[in-house]
Amino acid sequence: MEMSDYLSALSFFEYGISFLQERHWQQDYDLSLELFNCSTKSAYAVGDQDKLKLRSDEVLAFGRCFEDKLIVLYYFVSALCDACLLNEAIAKAIWVLSMLGDNLHQ
């Protein structure tokens, strides 16, 4: 996908998010999760770190289970790697793996 496609996609996902009702996480959970995950992915692709953090923070706050948070965690860790914050990226990745039941320190 071309970069301009990701820019367009981000714009469309943000437009969709703007139509969500105030209590969208409670009333339209699946739609909210999909829009926020797609917005996070598109923000990562175009390098919009502020939007990536804003949208991923909301999924992390309102996600019902850990598995619902995995997509934004993936892009969050990837963004840390891209920013050469490798110690933070590794620490976060190890935490994610531990939450999934894989203990690397055994």
Side-chain angles (χ1 to χ4, degrees):
M1 187 178 286
E2 295 294 322
M3 184 63 69
S4 63
D5 294 340
Y6 281 108
L7 286 169
S8 297
L10 179 58
S11 177
F12 287 125
F13 295 130
E14 290 299 310
Y15 194 63
I17 289 170
S18 74
F19 280 101
L20 293 172
Q21 301 294 318
E22 185 174 322
R23 295 179 45 81
H24 61 91
W25 285 107
Q26 292 78 27
Q27 296 170 345
D28 292 309
Y29 181 80
D30 291 334
L31 176 62
S32 298
L33 185 62
E34 188 68 22
L35 285 170
F36 277 73
N37 281 339
C38 290
S39 178
T40 300
K41 177 182 179 179
S42 298
Y44 173 76
V46 300
D48 188 339
Q49 301 303 316
D50 293 333
K51 186 69 68 179
L52 184 147
K53 179 156 178 34
L54 178 70
R55 296 307 180 206
S56 62
D57 283 351
E58 194 156 344
V59 172
L60 295 175
F62 293 104
R64 291 182 180 163
C65 63
F66 190 73
E67 287 76 15
D68 287 351
K69 302 173 185 184
L70 286 174
I71 291 173
V72 297
L73 286 168
Y74 168 80
Y75 289 109
F76 183 75
V77 170
S78 296
L80 289 173
C81 290
D82 292 347
C84 295
L85 299 171
L86 299 181
N87 288 336
E88 291 178 47
I90 291 169
K92 183 61 84 173
I94 289 171
W95 176 78
V96 169
L97 289 172
S98 72
M99 294 298 291
L100 295 170
D102 190 350
N103 190 348
L104 297 176
H105 295 294
Q106 289 183 353

